[in-house]
């Protein structure tokens, strides 16, 4: 047996290498450790045969021994016979080739069973450098041993050795099973990180993360489970803080978007006031908010709960030229920030009426943002108060200015729309007739409600007037559309019919002549119409229809019927149309109801169902003893259920 055999003898892995790391010879244990038959290992570079995670350590071990000719040691782990990982203390030293003068490197695993701590020192050093903690668990005696690591982590485990049950008692109950599973399933490969909530003595909960790996300590040594511990408490708190900040920012963005949307969709000044006073202080973290609008050169002030009305009353009615902060901001269109009373008195020495300004600097800071736009008449401003010492950022001031611009645009739109509505209402009143106050034997009532979409003016109309022969003419109609053009067509048709009726004796002829006139004029809109002549003495009714809704007849017993009158198409479309008429009798204490389609037809209601509904309402009104006015009100109120956006007109004729 030569000297090389002596170096390779034994059960522990051993090999002889050249100085550049090539394997000259090795024993069976080393071949097993490298995971290849011995013949496939000879001549190969020693470091190349190790797993990637061990390669650098193996190469440096050999290089150190070859260059310095001193003993070098590393802890490497490699497969054992059963497949589990073995952590071995590997020594490398320079030796002389027994068969020649060549220098070799002898690499072999030391027997560390009597000094297992030496195998653990490199692990402890690595975990300390990585700011981790290292513990070792013995499955046989259920003991955990803290091996060290980062000082902050070591402080969480003051007892170096402790029982598993003691550790479990400090773990959150919901995480007990996760810890047991981590120990039960430990394998030769590192487990995923598992989160555990841990409560050390006299401290709050810590968010720990742990992973495990099963190792055998040296050939023939004991098997242990090693665990790495990471304290994520600070990281989790930072994460929670960041998540809370993100959630707050998202909520703020949503609040601002809701604020903007509410301003844009506000339809009245009351709605705009509600939007501003309920959202302004909350959106900007202010303690109170006040809204001042300009009416005829004076301020009209409203406030939220953060600023009481008695504090704001002194501003109410102030002229726009008053020498104080709020009127000046509105006049000039420039925002103002007032940090304290000294600043306020310095800038507005004659305008210190606002009681809250008396506490500026000790209790409050104030920001004023105008709602006016450059080049336009001043509209108003909003004022918010903050806690003393607060200074809004540039971004916050910019955002408040943007929202104030939206509020100003909304207010200008609302006031312009209100002016249009007032104009439309006045126009509508001039175009709809005043009904005769006294008609022998008849009660007459009419109701009109313009469309809920558009300019609040429409093409529906009604009319009633006495004829030369003693009969009473009644008409109701609907010009296409609900805008100014529709109103113009309506006015033309109504005036034409009244003029023609003065010379024609029956409704059918009036419709025929009116149709010819509209066709000749090339009218851009058509109109439907029903016209009746009623004899108050005997109740005889002669009627004709130009494509209009049928007439309803309601009786005192609550019943009703529907009269589909003879006639023809709508007016202004088909030339040379001859309209027909028919005659029926209206009994005493009975009522005729003439309506436009907005009363009886809607998205969810057919014309037939709508007529039945209106007829039922009219019959019930008559049965309840209501006069023509009360009956008209009841039918108009019932039309709300139809859900139609069109104009609505009702004409009620009751024979007494």
């Amino acid at each position: 047996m030569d000297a090389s055999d002596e170096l390779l003898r034994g059960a522990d892995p051993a090999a002889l290498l050249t100085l550049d790391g090539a394997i000259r010879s090795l024993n069976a244990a080393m071949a097993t450790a490298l995971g290849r038959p011995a013949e496939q290992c000879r001549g190969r570079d020693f470091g190349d045969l190790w797993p990637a995670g061990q390669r650098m350590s193996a190469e440096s071990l050999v290089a150190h021994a070859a260059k310095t000719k001193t003993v070098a040691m590393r802890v490497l782990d490699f497969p054992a016979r059963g497949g589990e990982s073995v952590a071995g203390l590997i020594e490398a030293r320079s030796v002389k080739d027994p068969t020649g003068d060549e220098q070799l490197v002898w690499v072999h695993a030391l027997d560390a069973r009597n000094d297992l701590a030496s195998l653990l020192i490199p692990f402890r050093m690595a975990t300390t450098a990585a700011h981790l903690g290292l513990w070792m668990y013995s499955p046989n005696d259920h003991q955990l041993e803290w091996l060290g690591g980062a000082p902050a982590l070591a402080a969480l485990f003051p007892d170096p050795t402790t029982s598993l049950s003691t550790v479990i008692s400090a773990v959150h109950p919901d995480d007990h099973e996760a810890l047991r599973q981590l120990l039960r399933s430990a394998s030769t490969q590192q487990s995923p990180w598992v989160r555990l909530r841990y409560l050390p003595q006299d401290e709050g909960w810590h968010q720990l993360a742990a992973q495990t790996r099963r190792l055998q300590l040296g050939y023939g040594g004991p098997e242990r489970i090693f665990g790495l511990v990471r304290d994520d408490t600070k990281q989790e708190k930072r994460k929670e803080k960041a998540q809370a900040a993100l959630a707050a920012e998202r909520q703020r963005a949503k609040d601002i978007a809701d604020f903007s949307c509410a301003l844009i969709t506000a339809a009245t000044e009351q709605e705009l006031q509600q939007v501003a006073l309920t959202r302004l202080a909350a959106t900007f973290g202010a303690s109170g908010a006040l809204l001042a609008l300009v009416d005829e050169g004076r301020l009209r002030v409203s406030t939220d709960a953060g600023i009481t009305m008695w504090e704001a009353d002194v501003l109410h009615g102030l002229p726009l030229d008053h020498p104080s902060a709020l009127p000046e901001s509105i006049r000039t269109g420039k925002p103002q920030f007032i940090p304290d009373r000294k600043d306020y008195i310095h800038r507005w020495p004659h305008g210190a009426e606002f009681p809250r300004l008396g506490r500026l600097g000790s209790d409050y800071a104030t920001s004023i943002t105008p709602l006016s736009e450059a080049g336009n008449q001043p509209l108003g401003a909003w004022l918010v108060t903050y806690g003393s010492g607060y200074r809004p950022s540039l971004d916050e001031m910019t955002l408040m200015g943007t929202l104030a611009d939206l509020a100003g645009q909304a207010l200008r739109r609302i006031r312009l729309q209100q002016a249009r509505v007032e104009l439309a209402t006045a126009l509508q009143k001039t175009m709809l007739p005043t009904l005769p106050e006294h008609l022998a034997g008849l009660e007459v009532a009419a109701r009109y409600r313009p469309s809920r979409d558009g300019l609040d003016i429409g093409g529906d109309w009604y009319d009633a007037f006495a004829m030369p022969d003693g009969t009473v003419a009644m008409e109701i109609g609907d010009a296409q559309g609900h805008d100014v053009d529709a109103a113009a067509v309506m006015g033309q048709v109504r005036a034409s019919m009244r003029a023609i009726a003065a010379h024609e004796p029956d409704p059918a002829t009036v419709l025929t002549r009116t149709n010819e006139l509209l066709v000749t004029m090339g009218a851009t809109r058509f109109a439907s119409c029903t016209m009746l002549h009623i004899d108050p003495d005997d109740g005889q009714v002669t009627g004709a229809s130009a494509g209009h809704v049928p007439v309803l007849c309601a009786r005192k017993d609550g019943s009703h019927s529907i009269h589909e009158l003879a006639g023809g198409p709508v007016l202004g479309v088909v030339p040379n149309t001859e309209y027909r008429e028919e005659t029926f009798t209206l009994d005493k204490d009975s009522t005729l109801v003439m309506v436009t389609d907005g009363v009886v037809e809607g998205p969810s209601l057919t014309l037939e169902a709508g007529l039945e509904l209106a007829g039922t309402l009219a019959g019930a009104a008559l049965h309840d003893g209501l006069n023509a006015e009360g009956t008209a009100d009841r039918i108009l109120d019932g039309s709300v259920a139809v859900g139609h956006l069109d104009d609505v007109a009702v004409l009620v004729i009751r024979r007494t």
Side-chain angles (χ1 to χ4, degrees), residues 249 252-257 259-260 263 279-280 282-285 367 369-370 382 386 392-407:
E249 188 60 30
R252 177 173 169 79
K254 181 181 182 302
D255 290 344
I256 291 169
F259 196 164
S260 302
L263 287 173
R279 298 174 185 267
L280 193 58
T283 300
F284 291 97
S367 176
T369 310
W382 56 39
Y386 303 94
S393 66
L394 178 61
D395 288 344
E396 187 173 348
M397 296 297 289
T398 301
L399 176 60
M400 185 173 288
T402 300
L403 290 173
D405 287 345
L406 286 177

Side-chain angles (χ1 to χ4, degrees), residues 435-436 439 442-446 463-464 472 474 628-629 651-654:
L435 296 179
L439 292 172
L442 297 177
E443 285 181 0
V444 180
D463 204 354
V472 177
M474 301 283 181
E629 296 285 345
L651 185 59
V652 174
I653 309 100
R654 177 172 175 264

Side-chain angles (χ1 to χ4, degrees), residues 157-385:
F157 302 92
D159 297 327
T161 303
T162 186
S163 66
L164 176 61
S165 60
T166 301
V167 173
I168 289 178
S169 66
V171 172
H172 193 283
D174 292 344
D175 297 336
H176 286 177
E177 184 56 32
L179 176 59
R180 292 191 179 97
Q181 184 64 25
L182 189 66
L183 297 175
R184 283 197 299 264
S185 60
S187 67
T188 58
Q189 302 298 319
Q190 284 185 336
S191 71
W193 288 98
V194 175
R195 293 187 177 278
L196 301 169
R197 286 162 289 182
Y198 184 79
L199 185 64
Q201 295 179 355
D202 303 324
E203 289 192 44
W205 286 100
H206 281 249
Q207 298 285 340
L208 303 183
Q211 66 175 190
T212 58
R213 183 181 180 191
R214 188 181 297 272
L215 279 176
Q216 181 180 330
L217 297 178
Y219 273 84
E223 187 178 83
R224 294 288 187 266
I225 294 173
F226 288 85
L228 292 176
V229 181
R230 186 180 71 224
D231 191 348
D232 291 341
T233 305
K234 292 182 179 179
Q235 179 182 341
E236 286 296 318
K237 288 182 178 179
R238 286 195 298 268
K239 182 179 178 182
E240 290 174 2
K241 186 177 180 180
Q243 288 176 338
L246 178 60
E249 188 60 30
R250 285 176 176 171
Q251 183 61 47
R252 177 173 169 79
K254 181 181 182 302
D255 290 344
I256 291 169
D258 290 345
F259 196 164
S260 302
C261 182
L263 287 173
I264 292 170
T265 57
T268 64
E269 285 194 21
Q270 183 179 6
E271 288 183 13
L272 183 68
Q273 173 184 308
Q274 175 182 326
V275 170
L277 294 181
T278 56
R279 298 174 185 267
L280 193 58
T283 300
F284 291 97
S287 58
L290 174 149
L291 179 66
L293 301 180
V294 178
D295 277 340
E296 298 181 354
R298 291 186 175 273
L299 303 188
R300 175 163 51 86
V301 176
S302 54
T303 179
D304 68 359
I307 301 176
T308 61
M309 277 307 302
W310 70 265
E311 291 181 293
D313 277 346
V314 70
L315 295 173
H316 190 74
L318 275 183
L320 200 55
D321 59 357
H322 191 271
S324 57
L326 185 59
E328 179 179 314
S329 182
I330 297 173
R331 282 196 317 271
T332 62
K334 295 180 180 179
Q336 303 288 347
F337 179 73
I338 310 166
D340 52 44
R341 177 173 175 78
K342 180 180 178 182
D343 178 75
Y344 181 82
I345 297 300
H346 174 72
R347 294 160 65 186
W348 297 280
H350 303 294
E353 290 87 353
F354 189 25
R356 179 159 291 215
L357 296 175
R359 299 199 296 277
L360 278 169
S362 58
D363 294 319
Y364 294 100
T366 299
S367 176
I368 304 171
T369 310
L371 309 184
S372 55
E373 300 170 309
N376 290 321
Q377 290 295 317
L379 299 176
W382 56 39
L383 178 151
V384 294
T385 56

Side-chain angles (χ1 to χ4, degrees), residues 493 497 511 514-515 518 525-529 546 569-573 579:
V493 175
M497 289 184 67
L511 293 182
T514 304
N515 181 65
L518 293 179
R525 306 285 182 104
F526 61 81
S528 66
C529 178
V570 293
L571 302 172
V573 176
Y579 289 84

Side-chain angles (χ1 to χ4, degrees), residues 458-650:
D460 288 14
W461 84 91
Y462 57 82
D463 204 354
F465 50 91
M467 297 290 290
D469 61 1
T471 62
V472 177
M474 301 283 181
E475 65 181 71
I476 193 167
D478 181 1
Q480 178 193 11
H482 40 84
D483 52 19
V484 173
D485 288 342
V489 172
M490 174 267 283
Q492 290 176 331
V493 175
R494 188 177 70 82
S496 298
M497 289 184 67
R498 202 178 248 238
I500 294 170
H503 305 285
E504 296 294 344
D506 54 80
T509 305
V510 173
L511 293 182
T512 299
R513 298 290 179 263
T514 304
N515 181 65
E516 290 174 356
L517 178 62
L518 293 179
V519 171
T520 302
M521 292 172 57
T524 58
R525 306 285 182 104
F526 61 81
S528 66
C529 178
T530 291
M531 187 170 190
L532 304 178
H533 283 187
I534 304 175
D535 189 333
D537 295 330
D538 58 10
Q540 182 172 307
V541 181
T542 303
S545 173
H548 197 67
V549 179
V551 175
L552 297 167
C553 181
R555 291 170 283 275
K556 193 171 182 60
D557 62 1
S559 63
H560 71 275
S561 57
I562 300 172
H563 284 275
E564 184 81 41
L565 295 173
V570 293
L571 302 172
V573 176
V574 182
N576 303 319
T577 299
E578 294 290 335
Y579 289 84
R580 296 176 297 110
E581 63 188 24
E582 65 178 81
T583 301
F584 59 92
T585 300
L586 177 65
D587 296 332
K588 285 191 175 184
D589 290 327
S590 295
T591 296
L592 287 178
V593 179
M594 305 168 71
V595 298
T596 54
D597 61 355
V599 178
V600 293
E601 191 174 22
S604 59
L605 197 68
T606 63
L607 175 61
E608 292 75 12
L611 287 169
E612 281 297 326
L613 175 61
T616 301
L617 291 172
L622 212 60
H623 184 267
D624 293 343
L626 298 183
N627 58 12
E629 296 285 345
T631 302
D633 285 336
R634 186 168 289 187
I635 295 171
L636 186 67
D637 292 342
S639 70
V640 174
V642 174
H644 202 350
L645 295 179
D646 204 355
D647 312 311
V648 169
V650 178

Side-chain angles (χ1 to χ4, degrees), residues 12-15 17 29-30 33-34 46 50 54 57-62 64-65 70-79 86-93 105-112 118-119 122 218-219:
D12 295 332
L17 316 178
M30 181 62 79
L34 299 177
F46 181 70
W50 285 83
Q54 302 284 304
S57 295
E59 290 175 346
S60 65
L61 174 70
V62 175
H64 185 83
T70 58
V71 176
M73 292 185 185
R74 295 283 190 281
V75 174
L76 300 173
D77 58 274
F78 42 82
V86 176
L89 182 61
I90 308 300
E91 179 189 85
R93 66 171 63 199
V105 175
W106 177 39
V107 179
H108 66 109
L110 296 175
D111 185 355
S118 62
L119 291 174
Y219 273 84

